[in-house]
Amino acid sequence: MLKIDIITIFPQLFTNITDFGVIKEGKAKKLCEVNVYNLRDFTIDKHKKVDDRPYGGGTGMVMAVQPIDDAVNFIKSKNKTVNKEFQKVILLSPQGETLKQKKLKFLSTMENIIIICGRYEGVDERVRLLVSDLEISIGDYILTGGEIPAMVIIDGVIRLLEGVVGKEQSIIHESFENNLLDFPQYTRPEIYKGIRVPEVLISGNHKEIEKWRKEKSLESTREKRPDLIDKNY
Ligand code: 4GX
């Protein structure tokens, strides 16, 4: 059972994703649990402030270390049965290592992942030094907070849990599992606006179909993502 704990100042943002699709399925099958914590519940000042002005000046606000540290320690104390080796605290930020399928696979083998969603200009450096184990970015672009990146990780990890996605096949054969992009897929009708389904797919010749799909995968990877070939994602 993978326990996912999220720390955010916008817990409501997570109600959608945990109640639908693969994540709902994973929860229903008791393969994972998703808990959302409101960072403001861990503040000690009377205004429930989670951020403050940066030392040295400059624009914007920085998230303070104390509420984040306390939230993580509270969650760890609640999860005391978890083997420490299989518990990871993740900070989402543009400075992190870019997320790849390999990291999702690693995370899917954990017992507990605690995700810190930052906002504003960033977090006090001591969050990195004292609290987080991993810093992850979902890509080279700037968002307003770590909440959507957290959902990306949750979605990508849960579908890898044994028994969540119906046919194991659909995970093994798909894109990235073999460092190749997917081959083209068709479903009915046979002709749509003059475009025909490739003859080989209708032939029923499974050997030929497999050969065609491999060729198409390779061709599209060479053309669109040559960087994927020979890379160990
Ligand atoms: N992949 N952002 C986080 C605030 C922040 C900055 C530094 C912690 C440390 C992003 C991304 C992303 C914008 C989320 C800045 N929090 N996160 N936020 N790309 O752009 O993960």
Side-chain angles (χ1 to χ4, degrees), residues 91-95 118-123 128 135-146 149:
L91 176 66
L92 289 160
S93 96
Q95 284 84 43
R119 290 241 150 203
Y120 316 111
E121 308 318 303
V123 297
R128 290 186 179 87
E135 192 169 1
I136 297 176
S137 162
I138 64 158
D140 294 338
Y141 36 77
I142 308 297
L143 303 169
T144 57

Side-chain angles (χ1 to χ4, degrees), residues 6-225:
I6 303 147
I7 301 167
T8 172
I9 57 167
F10 294 123
Q12 323 87 286
L13 285 177
F14 289 87
T15 52
N16 277 320
I17 66 145
T18 54
D19 292 348
F20 297 97
V22 166
I23 301 172
K24 185 185 180 186
E25 193 108 322
K27 279 170 65 183
K29 291 181 181 164
K30 301 252 182 290
L31 298 166
C32 67
E33 198 183 292
V34 182
N35 299 302
V36 186
Y37 293 87
N38 191 337
L39 182 63
R40 288 197 201 281
D41 294 342
F42 298 89
T43 51
I44 49 177
D45 88 305
K46 61 175 185 288
H47 299 108
K48 295 187 184 289
K49 249 171 74 93
V50 294
D51 59 333
D52 211 335
R53 288 167 14 236
Y55 275 110
T59 52
M61 300 292 266
V62 175
M63 290 181 96
V65 59
Q66 172 271 318
I68 296 175
D69 190 28
D70 285 357
V72 168
N73 286 326
F74 174 77
I75 292 166
K76 284 182 173 175
S77 73
K78 276 192 63 160
N79 298 348
K80 52 187 172 298
T81 58
V82 172
N83 181 345
K84 292 280 168 261
E85 287 229 20
F86 293 91
Q87 179 173 62
K88 295 286 172 234
V89 179
I90 300 169
L91 176 66
L92 289 160
S93 96
Q95 284 84 43
E97 192 186 322
T98 312
L99 184 65
K100 298 281 156 57
Q101 189 63 18
K102 192 179 170 188
K103 181 67 75 26
L104 288 178
K105 272 182 142 182
F106 168 74
L107 293 174
S108 75
T109 67
M110 293 292 108
E111 286 176 37
N112 181 208
I113 55 186
I114 301 170
I115 307 178
I116 303 165
C117 304
R119 290 241 150 203
Y120 316 111
E121 308 318 303
V123 297
D124 189 304
E125 187 64 15
R126 288 162 292 191
V127 170
R128 290 186 179 87
L129 300 173
L130 297 171
V131 187
S132 74
D133 300 312
L134 293 167
E135 192 169 1
I136 297 176
S137 162
I138 64 158
D140 294 338
Y141 36 77
I142 308 297
L143 303 169
T144 57
E147 284 77 10
I148 290 171
M151 293 178 204
V152 168
I153 291 185
I154 295 165
D155 189 275
V157 164
I158 290 181
R159 66 179 286 288
L160 291 174
L161 300 176
E162 196 109 20
V164 173
V165 174
K167 290 174 242 145
E168 296 309 323
Q169 292 285 339
S170 52
I171 289 184
I172 295 162
H173 282 302
E174 87 194 336
S175 174
F176 292 114
E177 214 43 49
N178 43 19
N179 286 350
L180 291 177
L181 297 179
D182 279 343
F183 46 77
Q185 299 270 29
Y186 292 87
T187 186
R188 290 193 296 179
E190 214 176 297
I191 308 176
Y192 187 74
K193 294 190 176 170
I195 302 180
R196 244 182 199 293
V197 176
E199 200 59 46
V200 60
L201 298 180
I202 303 162
S203 70
N205 186 333
H206 295 291
K207 251 206 156 97
E208 282 302 311
I209 292 171
E210 207 179 320
K211 198 175 136 218
W212 181 87
R213 287 179 165 170
K214 241 179 214 148
E215 276 168 18
K216 287 289 172 189
S217 275
L218 262 169
E219 194 181 293
S220 122
T221 312
R222 267 194 224 107
E223 202 174 296
K224 299 173 189 163
R225 293 295 307 277

